[in-house]
Amino acid sequence: MPLTKDAAKRRDGSRAIEAVHGGSTRLDPLRRFVTTPYSITLQLMGRTVRVETNSPKILALTLQFFAAYQQVSPCDPDFRWRIVSEPNCSTGPGASTSAFSDVELSFVNVGQRSFLAVDAETRLGIAFLGEGFAEARDPRFISRPPLDILFCMSAASLGLTSLSASCVAFGGNGVLLLGEPNSGKTTTAYVAAKLGMEFFADQVVFLECASSGMCAWGDPFPAVFRPASLHFFPELHKDVRPSSYGDLSFYYFDKSKLQSPQAHSIVPLGSIFLQRAVAGEPRLVALAQDELSRHLAPSLLFKDGDRFQAQHAAVFAGLARLPSYRLSYGEDPAAAARIVCDLLRGQARERDR
């Protein structure tokens, strides 16, 4: 017996049906038949990504989220994201998430019904979100923003290796800041920016090996400060947005004011592994290549499929050829930031000779 329209609504929401010939209906739980008439093609880190959606609010949010990147004419994109927004589908701040991945597919479930999925082979990302997401006070600063997740899950297929790291830049060059959680990556980069550097990246650095050498791109995401950081920087109170995930509290900060208005790549000149609260006076010690490799592997943002191992290995080998250091310091991130700034300026002068 054909399922009636009213029954379909009761079982799967107001837009879970699609009309077919003969006046009957069929369920569409994955929203494959929802039209996505709003679209934009963006140049993201040297790649083209086409965003298609059924919601003008999602489109406006996409343009806001990637404001530092160029819009381009419609073309055959390197990747395509299809984002469907629907009422009666809760995706509130702090919604629980779960994830899995296999060789080609990455999947993140958000709350009860929202999800994001990326197929690496077909270069297609799909997101199903509640309308409440785009209607939040500022969706860029909610916990687990979907555009953040979509880009990170797509990065390997776009030829980018994603490392959990911060980055400080100066004059087209940069230094990666690696370390365990609470080692001071964000605070060191913030102080360095106040000293004249660019707050190039906070949560993720995207690296690639090109014919001209290695280059790095900064993340377009807000910086994340721990509550204790505001004791060192009370001026941040007026600029940060509180958020939480589970029992973890933190603050989002719009770092774009400390960056170039247009997204750009930099040439990495080296890496610094930060160790906080282990030394009274700051100590900068050179690392051997094998020691750096032990720090890089755990810094990979995702465990991507085997097809990307050669890509990641090339990036690791490129970083291993650059100078790398361990920087031990006390509690004050200003001490670490001064050393980072001096090192970056010195290496930039050496490179330009």
Side-chain angles (χ1 to χ4, degrees), residues 272-275 278-286 325-330 335-336 339:
I272 299 177
F273 185 80
L274 296 177
Q275 290 185 310
V278 297
E281 293 295 324
R283 291 188 58 212
L284 188 68
V285 179
Y325 307 89
R326 182 194 308 113
L327 175 54
S328 305
Y329 68 105
I339 292 177

Side-chain angles (χ1 to χ4, degrees), residues 23-329:
S24 61
T25 60
R26 59 183 171 185
L27 291 174
D28 183 22
L30 297 181
R31 310 310 186 257
R32 292 170 295 175
F33 308 112
V34 174
T35 59
T36 51
Y38 305 100
S39 64
I40 189 71
T41 303
L42 297 170
Q43 188 84 16
L44 301 181
M45 303 185 190
R47 284 82 173 162
T48 52
V49 176
R50 184 170 178 81
V51 182
E52 303 170 355
T53 179
N54 66 329
S55 167
K57 293 180 180 179
I58 291 290
L59 188 68
L61 177 61
T62 301
L63 293 172
Q64 183 185 31
F65 195 86
F66 295 109
Y69 294 85
Q70 180 184 4
Q71 300 179 38
V72 296
S73 301
C75 58
D76 290 334
D78 297 310
F79 218 96
R80 186 165 65 95
W81 296 341
R82 187 174 186 271
I83 304 174
V84 173
S85 177
E86 180 173 279
N88 306 321
C89 174
S90 175
T91 314
S96 61
T97 62
S98 58
F100 73 85
S101 63
D102 61 12
V103 176
E104 301 293 350
L105 179 68
S106 300
F107 183 92
V108 175
N109 189 77
V110 184
Q112 255 189 330
R113 293 179 55 193
S114 295
F115 67 87
L116 305 97
V118 167
D119 187 323
E121 183 176 13
T122 63
R123 298 193 170 201
L124 173 65
I126 294 176
F128 173 39
L129 308 171
E131 280 185 348
F133 163 69
E135 295 172 348
R137 192 181 87 161
D138 194 335
R140 294 177 303 159
F141 300 100
I142 68 169
S143 176
R144 297 296 190 268
L147 291 173
D148 175 332
I149 298 172
L150 266 181
F151 187 82
C152 289
M153 289 198 301
S154 307
S157 297
L158 293 170
L160 300 166
T161 293
S162 311
L163 289 185
S164 294
S166 292
C167 183
V168 174
F170 178 72
N173 302 304
V175 170
L176 305 186
L177 303 180
L178 305 163
E180 301 292 337
N182 203 30
S183 60
K185 299 185 293 295
T186 299
T187 50
T188 298
Y190 172 70
V191 176
K194 295 175 69 176
L195 295 174
M197 303 289 109
E198 181 179 1
F199 196 163
F200 191 70
D202 173 56
Q203 301 182 55
V204 189
V205 178
F206 300 94
L207 298 117
E208 62 175 319
C209 291
S211 56
S212 57
M214 180 177 293
C215 70
W217 296 87
D219 59 34
F221 319 133
V224 178
F225 285 100
R226 294 172 181 267
S229 302
L230 273 64
H231 296 304
F232 287 99
F233 313 111
E235 75 277 7
L236 283 173
H237 280 282
K238 66 181 188 322
D239 295 322
V240 295
R241 301 282 182 87
S243 190
S244 63
Y245 184 72
D247 58 356
L248 177 65
S249 297
F250 54 90
Y251 292 91
Y252 278 128
F253 172 72
D254 183 1
K255 68 181 186 300
S256 63
K257 62 187 72 175
L258 300 175
Q259 295 179 306
S260 169
Q262 297 298 319
H264 63 97
S265 63
I266 55 98
V267 176
L269 299 184
S271 306
I272 299 177
F273 185 80
L274 296 177
Q275 290 185 310
R276 187 175 190 174
V278 297
E281 293 295 324
R283 291 188 58 212
L284 188 68
V285 179
L287 292 179
Q289 286 191 9
D290 60 339
E291 189 174 357
L292 175 66
S293 298
R294 290 199 299 271
H295 295 314
L296 289 177
S299 296
L300 270 175
L301 190 64
F302 288 113
K303 185 177 181 181
D304 296 304
D306 292 344
R307 64 185 294 186
F308 300 114
Q309 284 188 356
Q311 176 178 305
H312 298 334
V315 167
F316 285 4
L319 290 175
R321 289 191 289 269
L322 302 174
S324 59
Y325 307 89
R326 182 194 308 113
L327 175 54
S328 305
Y329 68 105

